[in-house]
Amino acid sequence: MAQFSKIEWTHHTFNGWWGCVKVSAGCDHCYADAWANRMGHSVWGPHAQRRILGDDHYRLPIKWNKLALEAGERHRVFCSSMADFFENNSQLIEPRQRILKIIEQTTQLDWQVLTKRPQNIRKHLGKDYDYPPNLWLGTSVEDQHAADTRIKYLLEHDRAAVRFLSCEPLLGPVDIRKYLAPNAKGAKIDWVIIGGEAGGNSRPVNPLWIASLIRQCQESGVAVFFKQWGDYLPNHWVDGDGKRRKVIPVFKRNGDEILMARVGKKDAGNVIFRKQWLEYPETPFTR
């Protein structure tokens, strides 16, 4: 049986800038775009000015690293929830290099860098980039097309500490078995995050898509993290509570319907097969 990290993590989120360009169906209801607009920042689109954050903000990871050292712990940083770290944009050359230097300096922090543009990673890291052991590289995979388009570029980075997928929002069935086994260079996907969509126009996720990905990871001994259902749960789980809910049919391959009820992200939670799947990959620091 595969062994996964059981470390209790402290989580941080760091953004060097805000703004991006939508590139695929997973971006249709982008929470970051909506939040930026709500805050009065028009930073989305190819011609928009990105919002580069100030020096005080860039000093935060140094403080987090110090706290982690004092506590004798490793902390995790999710990088660029309000942007795409590997977007091709001349405004981002300097802040991206600044963050890469901070990652090297903050050796007690494990940095999760997620992108929908893994084909750009090598260009922006450089041919001779010396991958620090605290850098995790990931790509978003919302459907099979995204999987087959993006994962091959992520696997070029065989020296990254962790290569991970964020299958969120999951918009279709995905078969990633061939990416969960080592390739010719020994690189494989080490961690899979799964999640449904939440928000005003959220789309329900078919339970069969979630179940399939969890089984694929189990069969391959790869850590899997089911983050959330999103706004919808199978209707039979919430039937009979007396509440009127929006119900949407999701179709199985054989034509049978699965009814999904909109209950909201908080009430939907993240339980499937009667348990939470909260596995983390092993790293050089947890083996």
Side-chain angles (χ1 to χ4, degrees):
M1 181 180 294
Q3 298 296 314
F4 305 114
S5 172
K6 303 298 183 182
I7 288 177
E8 294 295 326
W9 298 89
T10 297
H11 303 263
H12 306 283
T13 300
F14 181 82
N15 287 283
W17 63 87
W18 288 19
C20 194
V21 178
K22 296 181 180 182
V23 295
S24 67
C27 303
D28 287 350
H29 306 144
C30 178
Y31 72 88
D33 184 12
W35 178 250
N37 284 324
R38 194 174 298 127
M39 298 298 290
H41 301 294
S42 298
V43 292
W44 246 257
H47 306 297
Q49 186 72 26
R50 302 292 178 258
R51 180 187 177 219
I52 312 297
L53 278 72
D55 290 345
D56 285 347
H57 189 76
Y58 277 82
R59 282 191 278 267
L60 284 175
I62 306 301
K63 296 179 181 178
W64 299 336
N65 191 69
K66 182 180 178 182
L67 290 172
L69 278 169
E70 291 173 349
E73 301 170 345
R74 296 202 65 77
H75 292 179
R76 185 186 298 116
V77 180
F78 179 66
C79 186
S80 298
S81 64
M82 296 295 294
D84 190 314
F85 191 78
F86 292 106
E87 179 195 358
N88 278 330
N89 188 314
S90 60
Q91 302 173 54
L92 309 179
I93 295 173
E94 189 278 331
R96 181 167 41 237
Q97 288 301 315
R98 186 175 184 182
I99 294 172
L100 288 172
K101 290 179 181 177
I102 290 172
I103 291 173
E104 294 175 7
Q105 295 167 359
T106 53
T107 56
Q108 208 67 15
L109 306 179
D110 288 310
W111 288 74
Q112 296 177 342
V113 180
L114 180 67
T115 181
K116 285 185 171 68
R117 299 163 172 84
Q119 71 275 14
N120 296 343
I121 296 176
R122 192 168 299 282
K123 171 184 176 181
H124 294 306
L125 291 185
K127 182 179 178 181
D128 299 320
Y129 182 68
D130 186 12
Y131 297 77
N134 60 335
L135 175 60
W136 301 16
L137 292 177
T139 193
S140 299
V141 169
E142 63 262 36
D143 54 26
Q144 192 65 49
H145 175 73
D148 294 333
T149 302
R150 296 173 183 160
I151 297 176
K152 60 186 178 183
Y153 293 108
L154 182 63
L155 292 179
E156 292 178 354
H157 302 276
D158 54 293
R159 290 185 290 141
V162 170
R163 288 160 298 277
F164 68 96
L165 304 181
S166 176
C167 301
E168 182 187 22
L170 186 59
L171 302 179
V174 181
D175 188 333
I176 56 172
R177 290 179 178 88
K178 66 181 180 180
Y179 306 114
L180 301 178
N183 63 13
K185 291 187 175 182
K188 67 178 183 66
I189 296 303
D190 306 298
W191 189 36
V192 178
I193 304 167
I194 307 169
E197 190 171 49
N201 298 305
S202 59
R203 295 157 282 190
V205 58
N206 189 324
L208 299 178
W209 305 339
I210 301 170
S212 174
L213 278 173
I214 290 175
R215 290 192 183 103
Q216 290 174 52
C217 290
Q218 282 189 296
E219 292 167 1
S220 303
V222 170
V224 60
F225 189 106
F226 178 42
K227 182 178 174 183
Q228 62 179 22
W229 277 97
D231 285 329
Y232 291 83
L233 271 180
N235 189 54
H236 65 275
W237 290 14
V238 295
D239 260 349
D241 65 2
K243 296 182 180 179
R244 297 182 62 184
R245 305 182 187 277
K246 180 180 181 180
V247 177
I248 294 178
V250 176
F251 294 93
K252 294 184 183 180
R253 181 172 296 175
N254 64 7
D256 294 339
E257 288 186 349
I258 301 174
L259 297 179
M260 301 294 292
R262 187 182 182 101
V263 300
K265 180 176 73 171
K266 182 177 180 181
D267 287 341
N270 65 343
V271 173
I272 189 170
F273 300 137
R274 299 184 179 182
K275 65 175 285 187
Q276 293 176 312
W277 300 81
L278 304 176
E279 298 168 352
Y280 295 97
E282 287 198 336
T283 74
F285 302 104
T286 60
R287 293 189 181 102

